[in-house]
Amino acid sequence: MITLVRRAAAVCALGAALTACATTRPAQQPPRPAPSASPAAPSSAPTLAPGPSGLTPVFHNGPRTRGRTVALTFDADMTADQGPRAAAGERFDHPRLIATLRALDVPATVFMTGRWAEEYPDQARSLGRDPLFEVANHSYSHYAFTGDCYGLPTVSADRMRADVERAYAAFRKVGVPDPMPYFRFPGGCYDRQALKALAPAGVTAVQWDVVGGDAFATDAAAVAREVLDGVRPGSVVVLHCTRSAAPATERAVRTIVPELRRQGYRFVKVSELIAATGGRA
């Protein structure tokens, strides 16, 4: 059975949309969309071959021996029930971070929840139509796909695929033309049941091998050190693009990017790392 991913360093980093990492909330279910007649994910982008028994494949990093490439990924977290907080003025977006990535000409993969896309449709559309970025799926609800996942509410097994497909529907509704067939589990938590439930959606699950630790961090230098100390050729770095929950990320990126370039690294999107594997995990 595939081990449930729980990295202590990621407790806050992957619960950034919550009020606090340790908050326990009652389980809730996102609304069930109409069933899809076909997999929601597009088929033209590079993906991994299905895992054992046809399970959803899981990608952690690219090849270590094909040059110094690194993928920066940013989770755009917003849970299905956080609309009132957004209406009250909390900002789950981070336009300044995206502007900095553009100014530095850094390609990146944004793992976006469907609820985030609905809240910030102009930004979602802008990201989806900018060749510098690729938009991938972080669920609609940002509810967990396993139990006991950092206090997140949970999605039942029979609604997991529907939650992913609802996110793709939200992306297309706001004008994201080609969302990628990549899915990041909320909280990074998954098990065999979740991988089985998502297999018909045709996605590759994308994890990471470097945790930036930027959620709720105010020390940009510390975030930059976490990334710079962890990066290896082929690394996937997980950071966040939520202004209220990751306020130091933009400043950290302004340190990370020039230093990694000085070390000879080239920034790529997740799709390029997956393509370099030849479809093998």
Side-chain angles (χ1 to χ4, degrees), residues 5 7 9-18 21 75 77 138 142 149-150 152 184-189 207-208 211 214-215 238-240:
V5 174
R7 298 188 181 189
V11 170
C12 285
L14 294 169
L18 299 178
C21 294
D75 290 357
D77 294 342
H138 197 30
H142 202 259
C149 182
Y150 311 130
L152 287 168
R184 175 164 285 164
F185 286 98
C189 302
Q207 298 288 97
W208 57 84
V211 176
D214 60 336
V238 58
L239 292 162
H240 293 80

Side-chain angles (χ1 to χ4, degrees), residues 85-241:
R85 285 169 54 176
E90 184 169 352
R91 301 298 305 198
F92 297 94
D93 61 341
H94 204 328
R96 185 172 178 178
L97 170 61
I98 300 304
T100 294
L101 293 170
R102 284 173 167 146
L104 294 173
D105 196 28
V106 180
T109 303
V110 178
F111 286 87
M112 187 183 297
T113 68
R115 183 64 189 87
W116 192 99
E118 290 176 346
E119 189 69 27
Y120 305 108
D122 292 343
Q123 293 184 56
R125 182 167 52 254
S126 176
L127 287 166
R129 294 181 179 182
D130 187 337
L132 194 63
F133 302 108
E134 59 189 13
V135 171
N137 195 312
H138 197 30
S139 79
Y140 176 83
S141 63
H142 202 259
Y143 291 174
F145 283 57
T146 69
D148 190 23
C149 182
Y150 311 130
L152 287 168
T154 57
V155 179
S156 62
D158 65 328
R159 295 192 179 191
M160 290 178 183
R161 178 186 176 188
D163 195 64
V164 172
E165 293 183 346
R166 187 179 181 192
Y168 279 121
F171 300 158
R172 294 188 174 101
K173 184 175 181 179
V174 302
V176 176
D178 296 302
M180 304 300 285
Y182 308 142
F183 175 71
R184 175 164 285 164
F185 286 98
C189 302
Y190 68 92
D191 56 17
R192 184 184 179 89
Q193 177 178 255
L195 296 180
K196 182 178 180 181
L198 294 190
V203 296
T204 292
V206 176
Q207 298 288 97
W208 57 84
D209 66 322
V210 178
V211 176
D214 60 336
F216 305 110
T218 57
D219 187 343
V223 174
R225 282 195 302 272
E226 285 292 322
V227 173
L228 294 173
D229 289 348
V231 164
R232 299 167 58 196
S235 279
V236 175
V237 180
V238 58
L239 292 162
H240 293 80
C241 56

